[in-house]
Amino acid sequence: MAIEPLEGVMITQLDYLANWVRKHSLWPMPFATACCGIELMATGASRHDIARFGSEAMRFSPRQCDLMLVAGRVVMKMVPVMQRIWLQMPEPKWCISMGACASSGGVFDAYATVQGIDRFIPVDVYIPGCPPRPEQVLQALMDLQDKVQRTGTLTAREFAKRQVLEGPHLKPDQVDPAEQIVAPGNFASATRLQN
Amino acid sequence: MADPHRYQAIRDRFEATVAQLRTRVDANLFTTSTFRDNCRLIVPADKANQVHSLLASLKAMGFDMLVELGAADYLHYPHATDRYGVWYCLLNTQSGERIIVKTFVNDPEPRLRSVFDLWQGADWMEREAYDLFGIEFEGHPDLRRILLPDEFTSFPLRKDYPLRGKGERHNFQPILRAES
């Protein structure tokens, strides 16, 4: 005789549930170094209200964060600081590269400017724009939530075992998988979606 | 249009200062020039080692504040005869009089005597000139880089330094997802 589920009770996978909880409670570490930081503040303010997505708890201690939000240009002297902050954040953790400068160096193609932070730390979502609108930041947050739901991880060690590309979730079948590699272009190192 | 006599009082005062200065240092040590209210003393490169005594005399005459110490690279500059220019902007805080002392140094070892012993505010300004132009200031108590990372090996404001650098942007180890 089959056991009837109790009324009002849902049965699911624990991973799914954990990811579902996790994605609605991302705590950003605002690594704001330039004008993108202003847009990030606007995203957090009442008009755009990042709290609608559960990410309003910005913390300035990496120990309390699970989302690194690099907003603005990063200079070479800052790279060791950025890497240390990234390493200090506990797993599971994600990274958003906000704006043209953080993603590619932007117009600052000079000797002291990092040409994309993904050369030095892993990045999950890139936001284009100079600076991006708050709506774009929110869209990136929703994209990241989708990614968290599908790639939830406890230690990130499993990324080393990845053998196939796992591109961003939007229009995956329209893009040649080889085109989806942004950086570092290494199957074992990037955070990418499972299947 | 600007009044042609607008800066006359400033220039008269400058003339008096120069006359007083010539009694203290070698009269041929410097030449003068003016532009609007800028009053300059220019020391040629072969006498750059005497700039310190000139500045010491100016300090004794009441120029008690070093407002700015800067440098420039005149490589490929039209009609330039020397490679680096270094200037000291001085202010007499009692009278409000300002004066600019400019000198030149050349490769292969651009060096000047530090004025840290005259104005301690020269500390970071000389470090900046050293950091970006490679001009060494003898006698500076702590001459090391101030803006760029310590492991940087070039002087990026020199005109022969490429805009995109010499590979300094890629010296750090990337952190991979599986390792962090």
Side-chain angles (χ1 to χ4, degrees), chain B residues 62 79 92 150 169:
Chain B
H79 312 302
N92 184 333
D150 289 337
R169 296 188 290 195

PDB file of all heavy atoms in Angstrom, chain B residues 62 79 92 150 169:
ATOM      1  N   GLY B  62      62.553  83.479   3.084  1.00  0.00           N
ATOM      2  CA  GLY B  62      61.158  83.496   3.504  1.00  0.00           C
ATOM      3  C   GLY B  62      60.230  82.572   2.740  1.00  0.00           C
ATOM      4  O   GLY B  62      59.053  82.490   3.062  1.00  0.00           O
ATOM      5  N   HIS B  79      62.401  71.548 -29.646  1.00  0.00           N
ATOM      6  CA  HIS B  79      63.442  72.465 -29.178  1.00  0.00           C
ATOM      7  C   HIS B  79      63.939  72.142 -27.767  1.00  0.00           C
ATOM      8  O   HIS B  79      64.645  72.943 -27.169  1.00  0.00           O
ATOM      9  CB  HIS B  79      62.966  73.929 -29.210  1.00  0.00           C
ATOM     10  CG  HIS B  79      62.316  74.296 -30.504  1.00  0.00           C
ATOM     11  ND1 HIS B  79      62.954  74.187 -31.720  1.00  0.00           N
ATOM     12  CD2 HIS B  79      61.055  74.726 -30.777  1.00  0.00           C
ATOM     13  CE1 HIS B  79      62.129  74.558 -32.678  1.00  0.00           C
ATOM     14  NE2 HIS B  79      60.961  74.884 -32.144  1.00  0.00           N
ATOM     15  N   ASN B  92      55.909  82.000  -0.245  1.00  0.00           N
ATOM     16  CA  ASN B  92      56.231  82.710   0.992  1.00  0.00           C
ATOM     17  C   ASN B  92      54.917  82.955   1.721  1.00  0.00           C
ATOM     18  O   ASN B  92      54.092  83.764   1.283  1.00  0.00           O
ATOM     19  CB  ASN B  92      56.910  84.034   0.635  1.00  0.00           C
ATOM     20  CG  ASN B  92      57.360  84.789   1.866  1.00  0.00           C
ATOM     21  OD1 ASN B  92      56.784  84.642   2.942  1.00  0.00           O
ATOM     22  ND2 ASN B  92      58.389  85.605   1.702  1.00  0.00           N
ATOM     23  N   ASP B 150      55.389  47.772  -5.400  1.00  0.00           N
ATOM     24  CA  ASP B 150      56.831  47.750  -5.170  1.00  0.00           C
ATOM     25  C   ASP B 150      57.567  46.926  -6.212  1.00  0.00           C
ATOM     26  O   ASP B 150      58.713  47.206  -6.531  1.00  0.00           O
ATOM     27  CB  ASP B 150      57.113  47.182  -3.775  1.00  0.00           C
ATOM     28  CG  ASP B 150      56.703  48.166  -2.693  1.00  0.00           C
ATOM     29  OD1 ASP B 150      56.635  49.364  -3.008  1.00  0.00           O
ATOM     30  OD2 ASP B 150      56.450  47.732  -1.564  1.00  0.00           O
ATOM     31  N   ARG B 169      50.729  43.943 -16.437  1.00  0.00           N
ATOM     32  CA  ARG B 169      49.337  43.666 -16.087  1.00  0.00           C
ATOM     33  C   ARG B 169      49.081  42.189 -15.851  1.00  0.00           C
ATOM     34  O   ARG B 169      48.043  41.819 -15.352  1.00  0.00           O
ATOM     35  CB  ARG B 169      48.417  44.147 -17.211  1.00  0.00           C
ATOM     36  CG  ARG B 169      48.464  45.624 -17.399  1.00  0.00           C
ATOM     37  CD  ARG B 169      47.430  46.081 -18.369  1.00  0.00           C
ATOM     38  NE  ARG B 169      47.715  45.677 -19.729  1.00  0.00           N
ATOM     39  CZ  ARG B 169      47.108  46.205 -20.794  1.00  0.00           C
ATOM     40  NH1 ARG B 169      46.199  47.142 -20.613  1.00  0.00           N
ATOM     41  NH2 ARG B 169      47.384  45.813 -21.995  1.00  0.00           N
TER      42      ARG B 169
END
